[in-house]
Every structure is written in structure tokens, then in C-alpha cells.
Amino acid sequence: MTEPTPEHKFKGNLSVLDVVMITASGVTPASSIFVIAPLAIASAGSGAFISFLIAAFIAATIALCYAELGAAHPSAGGEYSIIKRLFGTLCGLQTYLFILSAALFVPAVLATGAVPYLNTALGTQFDASTAGMITILIGGACAIFNIKANALLTGTFLVVEIAVLGLIAWLGFSTPHQSADILVAPVMLNPEGVLAPVSVPLIVAMVGVALFSYNGYGAAVYMAEDMREQGKPMATAIMLTLAIVVLVELLPFTALLIGAPSLAEMAKQADPVGYVVSQLGGPTLARVVSGAIYLSVFNAIIAIVAQFSRMMFSSGRDGFWLPQVNRALKIIHPRFGTPWIATLLFGIPSALLAFCSNLGDLTSFTVILLLLVYIIMAVAALISRRRVRFHHPYLMPLWPLPVAIALIGCLYVLWTILIASSLKDFIIIAGILCFGLLLSYMRTRQAIPHVEPSIEGE
């Protein structure tokens, strides 16, 4: 890859704390609890707690892979740049398409899932698809502004978000209605409307949803070229982000289960988390919390668009697309220092996806893509350290045990999800693979210089 020219470089003014604030805001722990966790509760009851514990352990091993690779291969392209460097352009391109597809779905999942909370806070009846689309468009526009300003904005929102989750944790733990036994001997509402033990396959199946709720800590790698220092600080940012995310998600989630006045009633609710908050804190507090949840999602969208627009910038710099597209993606805003065209090209399609499917379908397919990316990164963590020409300023402890755990865990969870997936999911994945092969072929044709055929006798 050619060295980027100065006009195609970032300013490199972010500290580790700045990167953590942006990345943790992209994970948006509050929306994970209020938008993603209810899907796990509906499917596995209080067994979702075990799912989240298992997912936290697997996420820690995946984060170690990201930390070592991100420190060794710093680039705004993140995962795809790492894979391209280790395995070649075709593998890097396919990884890029998987990540981009998953990334486009994430704001749609969060925004459509957050609109009911906006309606609760304001007493309105906004359509989830329309309001979700508008939320993504406004958040994407904010992501064009200076990255340092975005770090301060998202950091402020993150503090408020953590404060709200702390309040929820206090409500649940201070007024417990359930025994801690429901966490180790989980129950759920069966078809007859009675609480019954949760099966192990259901708990395992929800590990994928729990991994999705934690997902985003690895996105710190997209900020590598925005950081003042590279190497170990990147590893620190990734591991610190994951620690914050697990802590601020798992504690309030546990408190909600313990504080639920009735597990049976909670399981019947379309918004089980809102039900518990209303019962424990009253309707006024529920409205305030709902407003905070919507703002946390808006904050997350700013962070997510800021992160993944840098990946799109890097793809243009690496010449992944047609020349005109590559030139557009590489343009940096002269005032804000951000890839503003890449930001728009990411934010607008993501907003349109809010119209395409329901929350459950969006979440299920996104989890499949994320697991595929995790598996690819775990394989890369096995290979990278063996390539002696690459400097590794950070080395994960107990290598390769964390990598093996990440691989086995992700492969098993992926298998449990795929056997229950629809044909549509397989068709879309196959389509992504075929598009990658086609794009690789087109790039290869462009790279071959055209030679005029010689005329015999000349």
C-alpha cells in the first residue's frame, strides 16, 4: 500500500481516554440493556444472565486478539487492513464487506429499537422506521464535525448514560423481589404461561445476542491514525473499553432480574426492562429513563458513524473501489479534519435500512456477521505473531489459549444460530461473498495495464 499523502491523513490528536469515550459510546451500554437484552430475556428468561456471563468471557478473549493485532497493525481500516496485510487483498476485501454489512445494520437495530423509548418519554407515537431513519441521519451529520469535539460530546453523553444505568442498578439491588437462585437455576415463561427451567441450548443461543450487546470495543482500532501514540495505547483502549462495557451492562441487567416484582409479568411485557423501572421507580422516572435511553442511542450513532466512516476512508485510500469512488472516499474536510463523504456514504444507507426489516431479523443477521468477523480475527491472531517481520508492541497473556477459546466459543455459538437461521440469511451471506469475488476481479482487471496488440510486420 502506498504511503498516504498529507491531505489524506488524520491529525492524530486523540488520547487513550478520548478513544475509550468514543468507542464505549459506540457500544452504548444503555441501549444494549434496553434494546438488545429484552430479546435475550424473551427467549431465555433469567437464563439470559448466564448467557451474558459466558459472552463476557468470550468477549474478553476476542478483545485480547483485537488488542494484539491493533497494536501491531495500526490503521484506520481496522480489521480489514489487518487481514489484508496478513492474508492478502482478497481476504481483506471479504472481511471488509462482512464488517461493513454488519456495521450498516447496527445503527438501524439501535435506532428502531430506541424509538419506543422516545415515544414513552414524549408521549408521542412516532413510527419506528421513520423516526429511526431520522435519528441516524442527524447523528451521522454530527459525525462530520471535528473528531475531538465528537469525543467530548460522546464522552459527556456516556457519563449521563452510565449514571442512568447506575440508578437502575441501585433500584434493582435496593428493592429485590427475586432470590439470587434465579440466576444460577434460571427460569422462563413456557407456552402454558408457567415459569419453567431454561434449557441449555436456549442459553447458548442467546450468547450470540449477548456478544452483540457487548460488541464495539474492537472498533477502537479505527481510531489508530487519530491517536497521538500507537502500539500499546491502542491495546489499553480496547481492553479498558471492554471492561467498562461489561461492568455497566452486567450490573444493571442483574439488578433488573433481581428487582422484577414478577418474572412472569416481566416475560409477558413487550418492554420487560421498562416494566421493571416503572414498577420500582414510578411512571415519571420511567419517562426520564426512557428519554436518557434514546439520547444514549443517538450518542452511539454519532460514535459508530465516526468509527466506520474511517474504515470507508481507508478502503478508498487502499483503492478498493472504482477510481472515482476511491477519490471521493479519501477526501478530508478542510475544517473538521474528517472524511465527510465517507461519513455520508455510510450514514445514508444505514438510515435506509431502518425501513427494511424488523428488530429481531436485523439483530439475528447482524450477530451472524459479527461472529464471522470474530472468527477471522481470532485466526489472524494465531498467524500474526508467527510472522516475525511484524513488530508486536503488545502480546496477549497465555497465548494461544485465549485465541483457542475465542475460536471454539464463536464457532459453537455460530453453529447454534445457523441451524435455526432462514434461507434468506444464507442467500445474503452468499451474495456478500460473490460481490467480494466480483469486486476483486474488477480490481485485478484495472491493475493490468492495457497493451495494444502488435501488428505483424511492423
Side-chain angles (χ1 to χ4, degrees), residues 60-82:
T61 63
I62 297 168
L64 287 171
C65 296
Y66 269 83
E68 182 164 324
L69 292 168
H73 311 277
S75 171
E79 296 102 332
Y80 98 80
S81 290
I82 294 169

Side-chain angles (χ1 to χ4, degrees), residues 201-202 205-206 361 364 368 413-426:
L202 279 178
M206 288 302 102
D361 290 341
S364 176
I368 292 173
V413 174
L414 180 62
W415 170 252
T416 62
I417 295 174
L418 287 178
I419 59 177
S421 296
S422 65
L423 179 61
K424 180 178 68 175
D425 292 336
F426 290 96

Side-chain angles (χ1 to χ4, degrees), residues 261-405:
S262 168
L263 288 178
E265 284 300 315
M266 181 183 184
K268 294 176 183 177
Q269 303 297 318
D271 176 16
V273 183
Y275 157 77
V276 176
V277 174
S278 297
Q279 292 295 311
L280 299 183
T284 300
L285 179 61
R287 293 186 67 173
V288 172
V289 169
S290 293
I293 298 309
Y294 176 78
L295 289 176
S296 74
V297 171
F298 180 74
N299 183 41
I301 289 169
I302 296 175
I304 291 169
V305 175
Q307 290 164 346
F308 287 100
S309 63
R310 278 150 177 75
M311 186 183 75
M312 294 190 70
F313 159 87
S314 186
S315 71
R317 190 176 62 187
D318 289 351
F320 267 23
W321 313 100
L322 296 175
Q324 299 89 334
V325 178
N326 291 329
R327 284 194 292 270
L329 291 174
K330 290 188 294 182
I331 295 175
I332 300 292
H333 195 284
R335 178 180 177 185
F336 301 127
T338 55
W340 68 278
I341 293 181
T343 301
L344 293 176
L345 290 178
F346 177 85
I348 293 173
S350 185
L352 294 176
L353 280 174
F355 284 102
C356 293
S357 188
N358 61 51
L359 182 60
D361 290 341
L362 287 171
T363 303
S364 176
F365 182 66
T366 306
V367 169
I368 292 173
L369 292 175
L370 289 175
L371 286 169
L372 289 172
V373 173
Y374 290 159
I375 292 167
I376 293 168
M377 289 295 284
V379 173
L382 277 178
I383 300 300
S384 182
R385 196 185 290 195
R386 297 179 181 276
R387 305 284 178 86
V388 294
R389 69 179 183 275
F390 297 135
H391 174 57
H392 290 76
Y394 170 79
L395 299 176
M396 74 176 76
L398 303 177
W399 183 90
L401 181 60
V403 183
I405 293 172

Side-chain angles (χ1 to χ4, degrees), residues 127-173:
D127 174 69
S129 297
T130 303
M133 179 193 69
I134 294 172
T135 299
I136 297 170
L137 290 175
I138 297 175
C142 291
I144 295 175
F145 298 139
N146 180 275
I147 189 66
K148 187 70 175 180
N150 274 328
L152 293 174
L153 176 63
T154 55
T156 301
F157 273 117
L158 182 62
V159 170
V160 174
E161 184 177 342
I162 291 176
V164 170
L165 290 173
L167 173 63
I168 293 172
W170 178 80
L171 282 173
F173 286 128

